[in-house]
């Protein structure tokens, strides 16, 4: 395969839309369509066997919808670039865009398609640059890897539902058995992940661990109370959380005090 060639897989249950997307990619120089499917389960199987650079997927599809498909592929294909297609629910686009390079609104015009592809191509170029620097082993490779792999959102799975929670919405994270409570201003989500795994993936400039079972978002801190019962942080959702003695210095460093 030509090193400059990008590969794409199309998941779209509408035959005419799927054919139109295939044609659009076929005439683009430097792009190759690996395959297509009319349901999410087939798309998942194909993409696991032969991972594409880019997945273009409808949101509403049989067997697995587009969001479920991407969530299932993320762990095995962390560098997969995603473009969502939708004809529904404008309010959902902001959430979907957090997990994707872009989205296309049906019917897709030629101008919208080419603008999207320009954005995807630039993202792939930056990704390949980071990979080359990693291979060279420059002193910047650790920093670049952290920037590339920075967690941008949490995908919270529950029975019959997947929620995408933006990091900026998270006020605090609190361990509870095999789950972590993801606390936002609107609601609390139960997320299946360990506290250790989360703290390793979170940006230390945005989050600080204050207890073996608690992490808080620095942007949502409103004060620190040092009382007879110990140190507590005051959050902007009008709650207080206890700070473990071994975490006080880390909290002070994060606040610059």
């Amino acid at each position: 395969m030509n090193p400059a060639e990008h590969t794409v897989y199309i998941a779209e249950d509408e035959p005419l839309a799927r054919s139109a997307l295939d044609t659009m990619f076929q005439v683009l120089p430097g792009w190759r369509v690996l395959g297509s499917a009319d349901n999410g389960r087939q798309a998942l199987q194909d993409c696991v066997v032969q991972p594409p650079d880019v997945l273009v997927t409808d949101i509403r599809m049989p067997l697995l919808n587009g969001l479920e498909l991407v969530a299932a592929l993320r762990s095995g294909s962390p560098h997969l670039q995603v473009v969502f297609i939708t004809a529904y629910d404008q309010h959902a686009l902001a959430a979907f865009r957090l997990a994707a390079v872009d989205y296309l609104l049906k019917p897709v015009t030629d101008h919208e398609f080419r603008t999207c592809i320009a954005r995807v191509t630039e993202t792939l170029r930056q990704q390949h640059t980071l990979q080359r620097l990693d291979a060279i082993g420059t002193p910047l490779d650790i920093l670049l890897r952290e920037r590339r792999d920075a967690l941008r959102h949490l995908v919270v799975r529950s029975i019959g539902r997947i929620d995408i929670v933006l990091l900026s919405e998270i006020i605090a994270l609190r361990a509870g058995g095999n789950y972590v409570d993801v606390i936002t201003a609107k609601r609390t989500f139960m997320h299946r992940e360990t506290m250790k795994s989360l703290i390793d993936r979170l940006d230390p400039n945005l989050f600080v661990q204050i207890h073996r079972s608690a992490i808080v978002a620095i942007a949502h801190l409103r004060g620190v109370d040092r009382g007879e019962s110990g140190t507590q942080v005051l959050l902007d959702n009008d709650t207080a959380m206890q700070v473990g003695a071994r975490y006080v210095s880390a909290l002070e460093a994060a606040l610059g005090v």
Side-chain angles (χ1 to χ4, degrees), residues 13 21 59 74 82 97 251:
D13 65 328
L21 286 168
I59 291 171
R74 278 300 186 201
V82 178
R97 198 166 187 180
L251 173 64

Side-chain angles (χ1 to χ4, degrees), residues 16 19 194:
L16 291 178
S19 176
T194 66

Side-chain angles (χ1 to χ4, degrees), residues 107-145:
V108 180
T109 67
D110 185 68
H111 173 73
E112 291 168 340
F113 176 77
R114 291 188 178 276
T115 299
C116 172
I117 292 306
R119 185 177 293 112
V120 172
T121 302
E122 175 60 20
T123 300
L124 289 171
R125 185 194 67 77
Q126 294 175 0
Q127 182 183 96
H128 292 161
T129 298
L130 290 175
Q131 290 171 342
R132 286 197 300 271
L133 289 171
D134 280 347
I136 294 172
T138 68
L140 291 175
D141 61 355
I142 296 177
L143 175 62
L144 291 170
R145 190 178 298 111

Side-chain angles (χ1 to χ4, degrees), residues 21-32:
L21 286 168
D22 185 273
T23 300
M24 287 176 169
F25 276 105
Q26 294 289 359
V27 300
L28 277 180
W31 284 85
R32 180 164 65 95

Side-chain angles (χ1 to χ4, degrees), residues 83-230:
V83 174
F84 282 110
I85 307 173
T86 183
Y88 305 96
D89 298 340
Q90 294 291 327
H91 68 273
L93 293 180
F96 294 141
R97 198 166 187 180
L98 295 174
V101 179
D102 205 350
Y103 68 87
L104 296 171
L105 186 63
K106 297 179 182 179
V108 180
T109 67
D110 185 68
H111 173 73
E112 291 168 340
F113 176 77
R114 291 188 178 276
T115 299
C116 172
I117 292 306
R119 185 177 293 112
V120 172
T121 302
E122 175 60 20
T123 300
L124 289 171
R125 185 194 67 77
Q126 294 175 0
Q127 182 183 96
H128 292 161
T129 298
L130 290 175
Q131 290 171 342
R132 286 197 300 271
L133 289 171
D134 280 347
I136 294 172
T138 68
L140 291 175
D141 61 355
I142 296 177
L143 175 62
L144 291 170
R145 190 178 298 111
E146 288 177 350
R147 187 171 299 171
R148 179 191 66 203
D149 295 334
L151 190 66
R152 294 177 296 175
H153 59 273
L154 292 180
V155 178
V156 180
R157 299 174 180 86
S158 54
I159 298 176
R161 181 181 178 88
I162 294 178
D163 291 286
I164 296 178
V165 183
L166 182 61
L167 289 193
S168 62
E169 297 175 343
I170 298 173
I171 296 173
L173 300 140
R174 186 167 50 208
N178 295 325
Y179 289 84
V180 171
D181 289 333
V182 181
I183 302 168
T184 71
K186 294 182 179 179
R187 60 173 290 194
T188 296
F189 300 86
M190 290 182 63
H191 178 54
R192 191 174 181 84
E193 186 170 358
T194 66
M195 186 66 73
K196 174 64 167 61
S197 173
L198 268 177
I199 196 63
D200 287 345
R201 297 199 297 143
L202 291 170
D203 187 339
N205 294 312
L206 302 179
F207 292 88
V208 60
Q209 187 167 11
I210 62 165
H211 193 276
R212 62 184 177 84
S213 61
I215 299 169
V216 296
I218 296 172
H220 291 284
L221 287 174
R222 289 296 173 263
V224 178
D225 182 15
R226 294 185 175 91
E228 294 182 359
S229 59

